[in-house]
Amino acid sequence: MGGGAGQEARPADRPGRRGRRRRAGGPGRLHPRAHRPLPGAALRRLTTTEPEKEEPVKEISTEELRDRLENGDLVVLDVREPHEVAQAAIKGSVSIPLGQVVERRGELDATRTTAVVCAAGVRSARAIEALTAAGYPGELLNVSGGMRAWLASA
């Protein structure tokens, strides 16, 4: 009955001999669909995390952004909150807050390069990562320094 060698362990949802429940985790962790502990190799595969190989986010400077906007060969996506956009915005930009960018990605033109901007460049990088993970096919560029750099270079 207990945890001795060669004996089958009780599932985590059934009390043991003295009414104790098995604690989640630990060396005797149970597979969710089985009533016996995972073999060591399977447990290692589930708990070993390898760093994902992500491509770095492509950047665009504010100077290059100005040039490309004059040529009309890209679109600007502003992922700041509405109150931030109300203070200052790049003319003609599409405003979609970061929290809505994946669900509203259909509003973007995937055939055109999209420069993504936020206040300082952090949220825009997150937006690019989220859109890429969601399978967005268009080219995405992070505006280096965000709106702070854009306004400083005006």
Side-chain angles (χ1 to χ4, degrees), residues 4 34 51 58 71 74 90 121-122 141:
K58 294 179 184 176
N71 296 333
L74 61 70
I90 297 173
V122 176
L141 304 172

Side-chain angles (χ1 to χ4, degrees), residues 41-93:
L43 184 59
R44 278 191 299 279
R45 276 195 309 273
L46 289 174
T47 58
T48 303
T49 56
E50 295 180 18
E52 293 182 22
K53 296 178 183 174
E54 294 182 14
E55 291 186 28
V57 174
K58 294 179 184 176
E59 300 271 334
I60 185 171
S61 68
T62 55
E63 294 78 22
E64 186 181 355
L65 178 59
R66 286 184 196 285
D67 292 342
R68 291 188 67 177
L69 280 172
E70 287 177 10
N71 296 333
D73 67 340
L74 61 70
V75 177
V76 177
L77 169 62
D78 193 330
V79 295
R80 296 176 298 150
E81 294 299 316
H83 69 276
E84 295 173 287
V85 175
Q87 293 174 355
I90 297 173
K91 186 177 179 183
S93 63

Side-chain angles (χ1 to χ4, degrees), residues 114-128:
T114 303
V116 186
V117 68
C118 67
V122 176
R123 284 179 284 176
S124 53
R126 286 187 189 152
I128 290 171

Side-chain angles (χ1 to χ4, degrees), residues 123-151:
R123 284 179 284 176
S124 53
R126 286 187 189 152
I128 290 171
E129 290 169 0
L131 286 167
T132 302
Y136 182 76
E139 182 181 14
L140 299 166
L141 304 172
N142 188 22
V143 178
S144 299
M147 282 302 291
R148 290 180 188 155
W150 174 264
L151 295 171

